[in-house]
Amino acid sequence: MRVLLAVIALIGVVSAQKAFHSRRLGTEGQIVGRILSEYDPSTRPPVRDHADNSAILVITNIFINRLIWHNNYAEVDLYLRQQWQDSRLKYDVDTREGIEEIKLPQNRKIWEPDTYFTSGRELSRSEKNSKNLVVEPSGYVRSSERILLELPYTYGTMFPFTNSRQITIKLGSYNYDIDDIVYLWANSPPLVNPIEVSQDLLRGDLTFEEASAGDCVGNYTVGVYSCIDAHVYFSASTLSGLMSWFLPSLFLLIGSWLHFWIHGSAWLGFCTVLTFLSFVEYFVVICCGGRRSIRYKTLGGQEEHPMGAAKETIEVAYDQGCSSFRNNNGIDVISRVAFPVVTFIFLIIYFIFIV
């Protein structure tokens, strides 16, 4: 009997929760319809009451989710988080409804800052399932958007003794000058910092070290445009660098001294030829590796696009010839198998027919 009563009570609680959730969704839908009924998403929000200037403040924060290092650039998977005030989106709600914010559906559009990254190239910016817009009763808007960027990086001054790398994230408005939009980094430590990273970037070969955020220096075109940037530093341990390049090359150098004590023989001749071929293979991979060629088309002039003319990639090609075999990654794979196999076969022939 007690079990039956408990089941009935549980069903009642679940039903009440479902009813409350449905009623809340209905209320949120009514609010969205009301505040957007005469809303113009192409018009910038009005100036805040009692504001000293006419610019809209856009508070920005970046969360770096994933980072893949390539030869000269890094693929950066990040979330661009922005906050601003739009008094046209204010709404009143009964406190008993328990609604502190509403999430806008993907098909409903509002005005957003036309933020773009000036220090790299956007690989993807998909709004579907990767963008969230939340509006508070005061008209305060919070936006989160997932973007994949291609950013160049530089090595630290102590490279290669310490493997440190730096990427620069620079962003600004596409059309609005500083009288319309001003960007500021969100900075309320320890809960909110301008640059945040995932746990995966706090461990591994290259780990997040620190970030320095501020304003871009200088004007970029006619007029002044708001621009903020951040320098993000990653580093690897000294031991990791020694194990990856210093000790292997040192062993190779010491091995080259051994020929002073070795008398000529068929075995020495084979080792010399194979060593020479390994250097040839290394030279082919390094010097004749795949070189990517990218051509850009400029979309308008400097006056139309502040902070540098926007560019669109129209061709990405790889050099052919010696670099055509999967950009020479395949040569390394074959060599790692072929050289030991050849050595093993020669050992069998050497001990059976020569010794």
Side-chain angles (χ1 to χ4, degrees):
M1 185 66 178
R2 292 180 180 178
V3 175
L4 179 61
L5 292 176
V7 171
I8 295 175
L10 180 60
I11 293 175
V13 171
V14 173
S15 300
Q17 290 178 345
K18 288 183 177 179
F20 175 79
H21 184 66
S22 300
R23 185 171 65 254
R24 175 166 179 167
L25 289 178
T27 304
E28 290 183 359
Q30 294 175 2
I31 294 174
V32 171
R34 184 168 64 249
I35 63 178
L36 297 182
S37 60
E38 298 180 357
Y39 186 88
D40 183 7
S42 63
T43 305
R44 200 204 68 168
V47 180
R48 297 168 297 154
D49 296 336
H50 310 294
D52 296 332
N53 56 67
S54 60
I56 300 298
L57 294 179
V58 181
I59 311 300
T60 306
N61 160 258
I62 288 179
F63 179 85
I64 302 178
N65 181 51
R66 183 175 54 89
L67 198 149
I68 301 177
W69 299 101
H70 296 275
N71 289 335
N72 300 312
Y73 67 94
E75 287 187 14
V76 185
D77 181 6
L78 57 82
Y79 286 91
L80 173 63
R81 299 166 176 170
Q82 302 179 100
Q83 306 173 39
W84 65 91
Q85 181 80 25
D86 191 341
S87 58
R88 298 172 298 175
L89 298 175
K90 288 183 179 180
Y91 58 90
D92 296 322
V93 63
D94 194 328
T95 55
R96 292 173 297 180
E97 296 289 345
I99 296 178
E100 299 179 353
E101 60 187 30
I102 57 173
K103 181 179 178 181
L104 294 181
Q106 294 285 344
N107 61 341
R108 306 305 296 267
K109 303 300 181 182
I110 64 172
W111 180 91
E112 300 177 50
D114 55 344
T115 307
Y116 82 110
F117 293 86
T118 67
S119 58
R121 185 170 67 93
E122 291 187 12
L123 300 179
S124 67
R125 183 190 282 225
S126 175
E127 295 186 1
K128 187 177 181 181
N129 301 326
S130 65
K131 186 174 185 178
N132 291 299
L133 283 169
V134 174
V135 182
E136 299 178 1
S138 62
Y140 201 73
V141 183
R142 304 198 312 272
S143 168
S144 177
E145 183 178 7
R146 189 172 185 177
I147 301 174
L148 183 62
L149 289 178
E150 181 181 291
L151 294 175
Y153 65 84
T154 58
Y155 289 101
T157 56
M158 295 299 293
F159 180 83
F161 301 102
T162 57
N163 189 0
S164 60
R165 303 179 186 182
Q166 170 191 332
I167 60 174
T168 299
I169 302 175
K170 183 182 299 184
L171 56 87
S173 174
Y174 192 72
N175 290 313
Y176 296 101
D177 61 23
I178 201 169
D179 293 328
D180 292 321
I181 288 182
V182 172
Y183 289 91
L184 293 176
W185 286 113
N187 194 11
S188 302
L191 299 178
V192 179
N193 292 291
I195 303 295
E196 300 174 345
V197 300
S198 65
Q199 290 295 323
D200 292 338
L201 296 180
L202 297 177
R203 54 180 179 266
D205 295 335
L206 275 168
T207 59
F208 171 74
E209 188 72 21
E210 62 178 351
S212 174
D215 296 325
C216 305
V217 178
N219 301 339
Y220 295 90
T221 60
V222 179
V224 180
Y225 296 85
S226 179
C227 175
I228 55 177
D229 62 4
H231 305 287
V232 190
Y233 301 90
F234 296 84
S235 64
S237 64
T238 305
L239 180 60
S240 175
L242 291 176
M243 294 297 294
S244 62
W245 69 273
F246 181 75
L247 291 181
S249 59
L250 181 61
F251 291 152
L252 181 63
L253 178 62
I254 294 175
S256 67
W257 300 342
L258 297 180
H259 76 277
F260 296 116
W261 289 275
I262 301 177
H263 297 288
S265 64
W267 171 249
L268 178 60
F270 170 77
C271 293
T272 302
V273 171
L274 208 62
T275 302
F276 174 77
L277 293 177
S278 68
F279 281 119
V280 171
E281 187 270 346
Y282 186 74
F283 174 82
V284 169
V285 172
I286 297 299
C287 298
C288 299
R291 295 180 175 84
R292 191 177 57 164
S293 173
I294 304 178
R295 294 176 54 229
Y296 293 100
K297 177 177 65 177
T298 301
L299 304 178
Q302 294 282 350
E303 295 76 11
E304 298 178 22
H305 305 289
M307 292 185 289
K311 297 177 180 179
E312 177 186 3
T313 304
I314 59 175
E315 180 180 345
V316 178
Y318 289 88
D319 293 344
Q320 302 301 314
C322 63
S323 62
S324 60
F325 183 51
R326 294 183 62 85
N327 307 319
N328 272 329
N329 293 330
I331 297 178
D332 268 338
V333 173
I334 293 178
S335 299
R336 291 168 190 169
V337 177
F339 276 73
V341 169
V342 171
T343 303
F344 180 74
I345 294 175
F346 182 81
L347 281 173
I348 295 176
I349 297 174
Y350 181 78
F351 284 108
I352 294 178
F353 299 101
I354 301 179
V355 177

